[in-house]
Amino acid sequence: MGLVLGLESSCDETAAAVLRADGTILAEAVLSQLADHAPFGGVVPEIAARAHLHHLPGLVRRVLDEAGTTPTGLSAVAATAGPGLIGGLIVGATLGKGIAIANRIPYLAINHLEAHALSPRLPSISPEGVARDARGSLAFPYLLLLLSGGHCQCVAVEGVARHRRLGTTLDDAVGEAFDKSAKLLGLPWPGGPHLERLAEGGDATRIPLPRPMLGRAGCDFSFSGLKTAVAQQVAKGLDEQGRRDLAASFQASVAAVLADRAAQALAMVPGATAIVVAGGVAANGAVRAALARVAASAGLALVAPPIRLCTDNAVMVAWAGIERLRAGLTDTLDHAPRPRWPLNELSAKPSPPLMGERVG
Ligand code: KG4
Ligand code: ZN
């Protein structure tokens, strides 16, 4: 296997990357559409689809140039095929299939959640001291906490195409809870990072907030009650220090809940080699610190990919493609993008190569 091209276009980041089979990143590029969506206070699917269509081909040319190769130098192309916004998925998957057909190379339809789940196995990411397999990747099984604006899940990652979702949110995703609470506090979208900054000057003990699901069996989450509690406090009227205190209290509640859920989830992954955190909320210092404590008390490391690889990117898509290729799992060109695609519905059956396909 030589070079693999990865494409990501499932939400509001347009991204492309070229990796060597050993996981070396030769080129990567991400275009955020934040500025396009910010005036609307959230991602607008139609704007996202058009922006992907506009930017993705140029981004592919750029990463191929940077990697010092051309499409004929590729061994495979991996594109996010779900879950996500259907317009963007169609753009990425169709471009990926086109490149695969033109160059007679395998096409890999990547599940975005699996891409996040496998990203800590990039050999360059795992910290010293974690259990590794023969290729230098973090060894299975491990506990993944996927904490983003669209996803909030605890997952047992047991192998390629072998993931067990242990728990999920009953209402809002944790990033959504950050964004909605930040909006209530008068902060711009997306509010997570702004809320974290506001919380720096706050006292987390002055305005007590609920800690939903804390101590409950299982590892599901719920954040809508917390958001309502924030709204009630805001409605009482807050001065500047009050806003900081409320932000700090919200963040402390979320961190405590995530730590509790992570501890419960860890008990469901016997032999876990690490706790891994990914998604935009993994950038939050208080959340990282709380999860690091859970890991440490179990004698494990908290593996947090660098922020650029925690948020949506194409490096993780190319890497998931490499892992699937090694397992003999390619996809046929009639694979239709799936806006909803739970982790337990991944294909784990090797498929026959396409007619005339070059493999290797
Ligand atoms: O993974 P991501 O970039 O995009 C998807 O949702 O797919 O995650 C974005 C989410 C947003 O809700 C954003 O507010 C949140 O991650 N976020 C943060 C921080 N940085 C980003 N939340 C809390 N603290 C942060 N520092
Ligand atoms: Zn994502």
Side-chain angles (χ1 to χ4, degrees):
M1 194 199 314
L3 308 181
V4 175
L5 173 69
L7 307 175
E8 163 59 40
S9 57
S10 64
C11 189
D12 60 342
E13 262 96 23
T14 315
V18 179
L19 266 63
R20 261 206 306 256
D22 65 359
T24 308
I25 302 166
L26 297 182
E28 59 180 299
V30 180
L31 279 181
S32 166
Q33 302 172 5
L34 269 190
D36 300 334
H37 301 290
F40 303 94
V43 177
V44 183
E46 186 58 28
I47 293 178
R50 284 169 193 272
H52 289 305
L53 190 58
H54 188 68
H55 293 297
L56 195 55
L59 222 54
V60 168
R61 272 192 290 274
R62 195 168 114 198
V63 292
L64 291 174
D65 274 357
E66 265 176 48
T69 189
T70 61
T72 55
L74 296 172
S75 290
V77 49
T80 299
L85 299 171
I86 188 64
L89 294 173
I90 290 174
V91 171
T94 308
L95 182 60
K97 288 175 186 177
I99 296 171
I101 293 169
N103 297 284
R104 295 192 296 119
I105 53 177
Y107 166 71
L108 297 128
I110 301 298
N111 178 296
H112 180 86
L113 304 176
E114 177 167 55
H116 276 299
L118 296 176
S119 65
R121 282 175 45 84
L122 267 167
S124 58
I125 285 184
S126 295
E128 293 299 310
V130 297
R132 292 172 191 258
D133 64 16
R135 292 184 195 263
S137 286
L138 175 66
F140 297 120
Y142 50 87
L143 171 65
L144 169 76
L145 270 89
L146 184 51
L147 308 173
S148 75
H151 304 286
C152 188
Q153 308 189 349
C154 294
V155 181
V157 183
E158 296 170 336
V160 176
R162 286 179 48 213
H163 314 288
R164 244 182 333 124
R165 193 176 82 182
L166 306 170
T168 188
T169 182
L170 305 178
D171 37 61
D172 294 344
V174 60
E176 220 177 334
F178 265 99
D179 293 344
K180 288 178 176 170
S181 297
K183 189 174 177 192
L184 291 165
L185 286 161
L187 299 168
W189 178 86
H194 298 283
L195 192 149
E196 181 172 23
R197 242 167 281 136
L198 185 65
E200 273 166 25
D203 176 348
T205 62
R206 281 204 29 227
I207 307 177
L209 289 174
R211 301 193 161 181
M213 310 296 276
L214 199 88
R216 285 257 199 112
C219 60
D220 284 334
F221 306 88
S222 166
F223 293 106
S224 70
L226 184 54
K227 177 192 63 194
T228 306
V230 169
Q232 285 164 349
Q233 292 295 334
V234 170
K236 288 183 191 167
L238 294 172
D239 60 9
E240 190 49 32
Q241 187 56 42
R243 287 175 72 238
R244 292 196 193 113
D245 292 343
L246 186 57
S249 183
F250 169 83
Q251 196 172 263
S253 280
V254 171
V257 166
L258 292 178
D260 175 73
R261 306 288 77 198
Q264 296 274 1
L266 193 57
M268 296 183 229
V269 191
T273 57
I275 299 181
V276 172
V277 65
V281 179
N284 186 281
V287 167
R288 279 192 187 217
L291 294 175
R293 282 193 292 274
V294 175
S297 64
L300 298 175
L302 177 73
V303 177
I307 305 290
R308 71 176 214 289
L309 299 180
C310 270
T311 55
D312 289 351
N313 67 87
V315 169
M316 68 180 189
V317 179
W319 174 251
I322 290 166
E323 294 246 47
R324 293 181 72 82
L325 266 180
R326 279 182 189 153
L329 303 173
T330 59
D331 292 281
T332 47
L333 294 174
D334 58 358
H335 185 284
R338 295 183 58 176
R340 290 181 188 278
W341 188 5
L343 270 175
N344 58 3
E345 291 179 17
L346 294 189
S347 136
K349 269 194 247 108
S351 46
L354 302 172
M355 291 260 290
E357 186 178 272
R358 284 192 292 123
V359 180

